[in-house]
Amino acid sequence: MATNLQFLQKVTSAGLVSSFDMNNIFDKGYDQYNIYLNLIDSSTNGGYMGLRFFDSSDTIISGNEYDWAGQQLKSYGSFDNTWRATSNSQIAPIFVSTNDDNRGGGTLIRVFNADDTSSYTFITAQSSTFMDSGLDGTKTIGVHKGAEKITGVRLVSQSNTHSLSASIYGVK
Amino acid sequence: MSEYGYIPEAPEQSFGNNKGIFTPKDIYDLTRADKYTNYGQLELIETQTVSNVATVDFTTLGTYNVHFMTFNDIHSATNNVLTNVRFYENEVLETGAVYQYAYQYGNVAGSFGESRSTSNTRIYTLMNLGNATNETANGYTYFYNLTDSSKYSFLTFHSMTINATPNGNMNFGSAVLPQASTVTGIQVLMQSGNITSGTISLYGIKEYS
Amino acid sequence: MAGSLIKIDEEIVSSAVASVTLTGIDSTYDVYMVKYNNVTPSVDARSISLRVTKSGTPDTTSNYDYAYKVLNSASSFGNGAFTNDTEWQYLVADSVGTGTSESANGILYLFNFNNASEYSFITAEVTEINSSATARGNQGGGVHTVQSSSDGVFWFDTAGGNIASGTFTLYGLKK
């Protein structure tokens, strides 16, 4: 009998990239998708990653249509509670402060309502990464404020490049 | 002779890519080979229900890149302690002050704050609990890269407990063992004293290439 | 190896109802998960509250405690903390709007619900558009401080309005 966390596909970047595209991963009949992101490596220390969506024509949505808020948790200092924006060009942070020593990191992104043509698309995200200063974690929420079907995700590296793999699941 | 209805040979079968006509034996054989599409990739590895133990070890991790652990009804012998995690690396328990964590906490009486460490002997995960009746810890943890020898081992977690006041307590956070190693086991223990009782379940999140 | 996330109950609201109940929590599992999508109130700026059910009936006693961090896209982050409330009022869908596509979505984990000797606990991770049309999300948890088993969760508008829409799904995690 099928049970309800259902593997859909795995996408891996072609080495270090500034944009990691996961095209046509949605529109599979689920109202929630889980993306488990495996950070493989970064070009330099630091930076962060943001998220944009692809629309039903597989066109990237880069307009100021995203609201988001995230807490950056640090093992080495006070947490950063200033990650927030409305009407922004992306959702951030998906993760923060990676290292260039191939040490890895992990993130869970939950995506709600991607298949729904008349709903906004919402996310929660939680991550754990490492830079030379120490551990960085994030707890983030966000929304794309357009009532339309979303078909994929682009993760955009800020100030460096990343190599990544992502495993995508539907929650039935 | 046909294979899965194809003559002479069927296409290669794999998860999410089954083509042809399948007999019950075909399905059985392909399932055993992990080549038949059976949905349900949250895979239970092990559940331990414990009573009066100092530590709980999970030493079968499989080959998953992502693990998920739930903690239900954890009781502590010692008052006002957190539930901790540490790792076995190649069967050797790492007890050094090498773990890092950071979490946001808040209790129902309105006290909120941050907790962090860059050099602890274990990872503080679930929020502190008391040792009186009904003072329990509950929550979940995701683990990443445990079985990858070239990577550090990362965690995220989220919990709800009753502390020694007694007040409800929540926390969420992240952690890491910043050592490139193969983790071969997860140990759960209290900050001090025994785990009086509780149920802990470990799952793997299966993926296919 | 068989999968371990098992759907137990689902309620889909397409026209306004006074409440939604997810049922089916018993001794089969220790840990349950609730997923909810596109939950909207019928009246603007209302919170959809949560109660536990005992033998199918919502528990209305003043025994709901909860705490959460508010991640807010439009202003400084905040904290919420409540004791002895008659429900988890703001935790899972807080001041949601009725404007276009304003809704609450999230994941709850439920612990100890079936245990007659223990309290019932939840964790909550929420993402929503509130009545100011901006994104926010409460991250926290709650406890129902009554030593008895709970067999479901009951969703409603504390202020007496309806739930206009939403999909609510209950899962068990194999043990």
Side-chain angles (χ1 to χ4, degrees), chain A residues 2-3 5 7 10 36 38 40 71 74-75 77-79 102-104 126-128 134-135 137 139 167 169, chain B residues 39-41 100 104 114 116-118 140 142 144-145 150-152 154-156 158 172 174-175 206-208:
Chain A
T3 61
L5 182 69
F7 176 80
K10 184 171 181 175
Y36 295 92
N38 178 28
I40 300 169
Q71 186 175 38
K74 306 176 190 177
S75 67
S78 296
F79 296 176
N102 196 39
R103 297 310 179 207
Q126 50 184 261
S127 76
S128 182
L135 163 81
K139 193 90 161 175
S167 293
Y169 300 77
Chain B
Y39 282 120
Q41 274 64 57
Q100 301 199 23
Q104 167 76 51
E114 304 171 0
R116 66 181 72 84
S117 177
T118 56
Y140 75 80
Y142 276 103
Y144 299 87
N145 299 340
S150 69
K151 297 285 187 287
Y152 295 169
F154 294 87
L155 298 76
T156 60
H158 195 132
F172 55 84
S174 305
K206 190 168 178 66
E207 63 178 18
Y208 296 85

Side-chain angles (χ1 to χ4, degrees), chain A residues 6 8 33 90 138 144:
Chain A
Q6 302 185 348
L8 298 175
Y33 294 86
Q90 63 177 3
T138 61
H144 169 246

Side-chain angles (χ1 to χ4, degrees), chain A residues 126-138:
Chain A
Q126 50 184 261
S127 76
S128 182
T129 58
F130 185 86
M131 199 176 66
D132 294 344
S133 313
L135 163 81
D136 274 289
T138 61

Side-chain angles (χ1 to χ4, degrees), chain B residues 78-143:
Chain B
T78 304
N79 203 22
N80 200 28
V81 293
L82 285 90
T83 309
N84 300 166
V85 162
R86 52 188 185 185
F87 295 128
Y88 288 91
E89 297 170 290
N90 294 309
E91 285 88 43
V92 177
L93 185 65
E94 175 57 81
T95 59
V98 294
Y99 298 94
Q100 301 199 23
Y101 64 83
Y103 62 81
Q104 167 76 51
Y105 66 84
N107 74 32
V108 299
S111 175
F112 283 72
E114 304 171 0
S115 183
R116 66 181 72 84
S117 177
T118 56
S119 57
N120 215 40
T121 57
R122 68 270 300 272
I123 296 168
Y124 291 173
T125 54
L126 279 62
M127 267 308 280
N128 52 311
L129 68 156
N131 64 353
T133 303
N134 300 127
E135 293 172 3
T136 72
N138 308 272
Y140 75 80
T141 299
Y142 276 103
F143 300 91

Side-chain angles (χ1 to χ4, degrees), chain B residues 23-40:
Chain B
T23 67
K25 184 179 184 307
D26 291 333
I27 294 172
Y28 175 79
D29 290 341
L30 287 170
T31 297
R32 290 195 64 187
D34 202 15
K35 291 183 177 181
Y36 195 74
T37 306
N38 284 309
Y39 282 120

Side-chain angles (χ1 to χ4, degrees), chain A residues 1-5 31-32 67-71 80-86 110-113 116 118-120 122-124 126 139-143 145-147 171-172, chain C residues 3-7 10 33 35-38 69 71-77 100-103 105-107 109 125-129 133-137 139 167 169 171:
Chain A
M1 183 188 74
T3 61
N4 298 96
L5 182 69
D31 57 18
Q32 180 191 333
D67 286 4
W68 47 271
Q71 186 175 38
D80 188 342
N81 293 304
T82 63
W83 291 90
R84 62 175 178 271
T86 58
R110 300 190 185 104
V111 183
F112 299 86
N113 311 332
D116 192 333
S118 58
S119 293
Y120 292 169
F122 293 78
I123 74 154
T124 65
Q126 50 184 261
K139 193 90 161 175
T140 298
I141 61 98
V143 60
K145 293 163 73 173
V171 182
K172 194 72 177 173
Chain C
S4 301
L5 184 69
I6 315 292
K7 182 184 288 187
E10 184 166 71
M33 186 184 91
K35 164 171 69 83
Y36 55 104
N37 294 67
N38 276 332
K69 187 77 178 173
L71 303 179
N72 197 324
S73 66
S75 62
S76 299
F77 297 170
T100 303
S101 300
E102 293 173 4
S103 73
N105 311 265
I107 292 289
Y109 282 95
E125 297 164 82
V126 183
T127 175
E128 65 171 55
I129 293 274
T134 55
R136 55 173 285 157
Q139 316 297 314
T167 301
T169 312
Y171 302 85

